[in-house]
Amino acid sequence: KIIAAVSGGADSVCMLLLLKDLFGAEKIICAHFNHKIRGEEADHDELFTRDLAEKIGVQFKSAEADVPSYAKSEGIGLEAAARKLRYDFLNLTATQFDGEVFIAVAHNKSDKVETIIHNISRGTSIDGLKGIEYKRNNIIRPLLDLSRNEIEFVCNYFNVKPVVDATNADNKYKRNLIRNDVIPYLTNAFGNDFSDHILKLSESASADSLFLQKVTLEAFEKCCSIENKPFPKIVINRNCFMGLDKAIQNRLIRFALSRVRDDCKNFVFPEYTGIYSDMILRVCYFVNGNNSGKFIEIGSGVYCVSAYSNFYFSHKSVMTPKSTFDSKVEISEVARTDFMLDIHEFSTTEYFDGDELEKLFGSDFVDKIKIIRGDIGDLSFYPFGMSGHKPVRKFLIDSKIGTFERAFVEFVVVDNCILWIPEVRRSNVAPIDKNTTRVIIVKYISDTEEA
């Protein structure tokens, strides 16, 4: 199946007609998204597209949303909001069909030139010189080699008169300004083959970009890791990063940002959308400074956090612990004669002397053992293997547990005493020794483990 994104304009109408002619009506779904930006005009475009789909015998799907309201609520531009909601609709439509499904969008030859010039105006990297690609994942762009004249010819050939979007003449939108004023000016100044030269630049940039992307992926495997505890983040080793060529450093940051997900597991910058050169420069400046324990917000809720020998990217929606959690402990008792000690550095099981616990906390000590998370006030911790005690916060800092991670730390306590910080360190309270007769086994099960 091919989901054809059809607005009703010449480009998308041409694409729909050609796809239907090439593959047959049963393979094509005409999908229209009403952005509710142009009032009655937008409703007319939807009606036109519905009638065209019916006329040529293809299935029709539609949806609508108040894009201006969404843009305001999310604090993003109108074009970005429209794109986000439109692609959400197209991807949802694609899930309704079995087998291989493509989403076809009607970018043409002129759009590719516009995109390259638009990217240059924003200080693009070499990737931005590639312009629009024929295919990325399940998105295809079958009109990329067609000119405006060829598109109009196709519509006339099938005797279909597309609708005209009046906002295309409004130069307050940067793309319209490029299309209506900048490209005609440059064509007049440098000749009619100006656009063809821009497209040759695109081909050269694409070849270079493929090689650099290969090197960047190798750097990602060498310097980066994806961690999920206590929250999802893309972690980059600082020393490894600093040893990379600057060109690869920039690309690695960009690639890492494209992998960041929010609490709904959606990519925040899908296919690099919304990642700009000034964001990458800010990250480089921050990483090069003496900023351990500090953080900056890059944009769209993504933080760059400096954490000791690493720095990482994460989304703020996953960096705040939930008000409730389901971690628990399972407690059992065995006689010393039946006990085999199984110790790991970051164990989820710890062992205590039962007689000592009873002496310190009473015969009902088992019922008092519980888990608490986050801020535990002024309690001190007596780390196993160390003399004396430390305030918990200082112990966590000394253990190189970062600012955001500390909010997720869980403590196994009894009364006002910390027995154990799971996966970090146990206390020196009631250790097993040669005089132990009762062994209390405490197994920690985190809510992330259960999930």
Side-chain angles (χ1 to χ4, degrees):
K1 297 289 185 182
I2 301 176
I3 312 293
V6 183
S7 66
D11 298 345
S12 59
V13 165
C14 166
M15 180 181 72
L16 177 67
L17 294 169
L18 290 177
L19 288 174
K20 184 261 179 180
D21 198 52
L22 283 165
F23 298 108
E26 70 282 355
K27 292 281 187 182
I28 311 301
I29 295 89
C30 175
H32 179 87
F33 187 76
N34 187 337
H35 301 93
K36 309 301 278 186
I37 296 176
R38 296 181 292 115
E40 290 185 3
E41 272 191 62
D43 294 336
H44 173 264
D45 293 352
E46 180 176 350
L47 183 62
F48 166 83
T49 308
R50 184 187 298 273
D51 288 345
L52 176 61
E54 184 178 345
K55 179 180 177 182
I56 65 174
V58 302
Q59 190 174 351
F60 180 78
K61 297 278 187 178
S62 67
E64 63 180 42
D66 187 342
V67 172
S69 295
Y70 178 79
K72 185 176 180 180
S73 67
E74 294 296 312
I76 58 178
L78 202 62
E79 288 180 281
R83 185 185 188 281
K84 168 74 167 59
L85 293 174
R86 181 170 65 252
Y87 274 94
D88 284 350
F89 158 65
L90 293 171
N91 285 314
L92 181 62
T93 302
T95 64
Q96 299 171 12
F97 299 91
D98 296 328
E100 194 170 27
V101 180
F102 293 101
I103 295 171
V105 291
H107 294 112
N108 61 38
K109 190 175 183 179
S110 298
D111 291 320
K112 190 168 186 176
V113 175
E114 291 166 20
T115 298
I116 294 169
I117 294 174
H118 188 209
N119 290 344
I120 290 172
S121 74
R122 296 187 299 181
T124 187
S125 67
I126 194 171
D127 286 341
L129 298 180
K130 295 190 302 182
I132 307 171
E133 298 178 285
Y134 290 101
K135 182 178 183 295
R136 177 174 284 182
N137 299 324
N138 68 327
I139 307 293
I140 59 173
R141 298 177 176 90
L143 298 193
L144 270 187
D145 289 330
L146 269 66
S147 67
R148 168 60 55 180
N149 288 338
E150 289 170 323
I151 287 168
E152 291 176 353
F153 175 85
V154 170
C155 293
N156 289 332
Y157 177 85
F158 285 99
N159 197 28
V160 176
K161 186 176 182 181
V163 298
V164 177
D165 184 346
T167 61
N168 287 338
D170 187 350
N171 282 357
K172 74 178 181 183
Y173 298 109
K174 194 172 183 180
R175 279 188 172 276
N176 290 350
L177 179 66
I178 292 170
R179 180 186 308 118
N180 299 330
D181 289 358
V182 175
I183 291 179
Y185 174 82
L186 293 172
T187 301
N188 183 60
F190 299 110
N192 292 330
D193 53 359
F194 167 76
S195 291
D196 290 333
H197 291 160
I198 291 292
L199 293 174
K200 287 179 182 177
L201 170 67
S202 170
E203 289 179 18
S204 175
S206 294
D208 293 345
S209 179
L210 280 174
F211 172 74
L212 289 171
Q213 184 69 4
K214 177 176 177 288
V215 177
T216 302
L217 290 174
E218 291 171 355
F220 186 84
E221 291 179 3
K222 179 182 176 183
C223 300
C224 305
S225 60
I226 299 175
E227 298 182 7
N228 291 308
K229 294 182 70 173
F231 51 82
K233 51 185 176 286
I234 312 294
V235 181
I236 303 178
N237 180 276
R238 192 188 306 274
N239 287 337
C240 183
F241 176 81
M242 299 304 284
L244 299 173
D245 186 272
K246 184 171 176 56
I248 304 304
Q249 286 182 353
N250 293 345
R251 294 180 70 89
L252 183 60
I253 290 171
R254 185 169 175 266
F255 181 76
L257 287 173
S258 76
R259 311 312 299 163
V260 175
R261 297 177 186 261
D262 60 19
D263 58 345
C264 296
K265 298 187 178 180
N266 296 318
F267 289 114
V268 182
F269 302 114
E271 299 181 357
Y272 305 103
T273 303
I275 302 175
Y276 303 117
S277 56
D278 61 327
M279 295 162 61
I280 295 173
L281 289 173
R282 282 186 66 217
V283 171
C284 286
Y285 181 80
F286 175 72
V287 170
N288 277 297
N290 183 21
N291 293 307
S292 185
K294 299 179 181 178
F295 68 92
I296 56 172
E297 184 168 1
I298 301 167
S300 300
V302 174
Y303 287 3
C304 177
V305 182
S306 180
Y308 305 102
S309 60
N310 301 319
F311 64 96
Y312 66 81
F313 300 110
S314 191
H315 192 263
K316 62 182 179 182
S317 64
V318 303
M319 297 172 73
T320 303
K322 299 174 183 176
S323 57
T324 60
F325 61 97
D326 298 319
S327 298
K328 61 185 179 181
V329 288
E330 292 180 350
I331 302 170
S332 57
E333 180 178 336
V334 297
R336 176 61 187 262
T337 53
D338 299 326
F339 172 66
M340 290 185 63
L341 188 62
D342 181 19
I343 295 178
H344 301 284
E345 184 178 1
F346 298 112
S347 176
T348 55
T349 303
E350 273 298 345
Y351 311 92
F352 299 88
D353 186 307
D355 292 324
E356 284 296 314
L357 290 178
E358 183 171 337
K359 186 187 301 181
L360 290 168
F361 306 110
S363 59
D364 59 345
F365 71 86
V366 170
D367 297 330
K368 296 178 182 178
I369 295 176
K370 62 181 180 178
I371 296 178
I372 57 178
R373 172 184 282 181
D375 185 6
I376 59 171
D378 299 325
L379 289 185
S380 291
F381 182 55
Y382 294 78
F384 184 76
M386 294 176 60
S387 60
H389 66 274
K390 286 185 178 183
V392 170
R393 184 174 182 277
K394 186 175 189 318
F395 172 78
L396 295 177
I397 292 172
D398 291 346
S399 300
K400 296 188 176 182
I401 296 176
T403 303
F404 292 101
E405 288 82 351
R406 288 199 288 272
F408 289 83
V409 173
E410 294 177 346
F411 305 87
V412 177
V413 301
V414 54
D415 288 341
N416 287 320
C417 177
I418 301 172
L419 288 181
W420 178 29
I421 306 176
E423 301 179 316
V424 180
R425 182 80 72 88
R426 66 158 288 155
S427 72
N428 64 6
V429 175
I432 303 293
D433 62 26
K434 62 181 181 179
N435 298 316
T436 299
T437 59
R438 299 165 57 199
V439 176
I440 302 300
I441 303 173
V442 182
K443 182 177 182 181
Y444 165 75
I445 303 173
S446 73
D447 51 4
T448 55
E449 184 180 333
E450 288 194 318

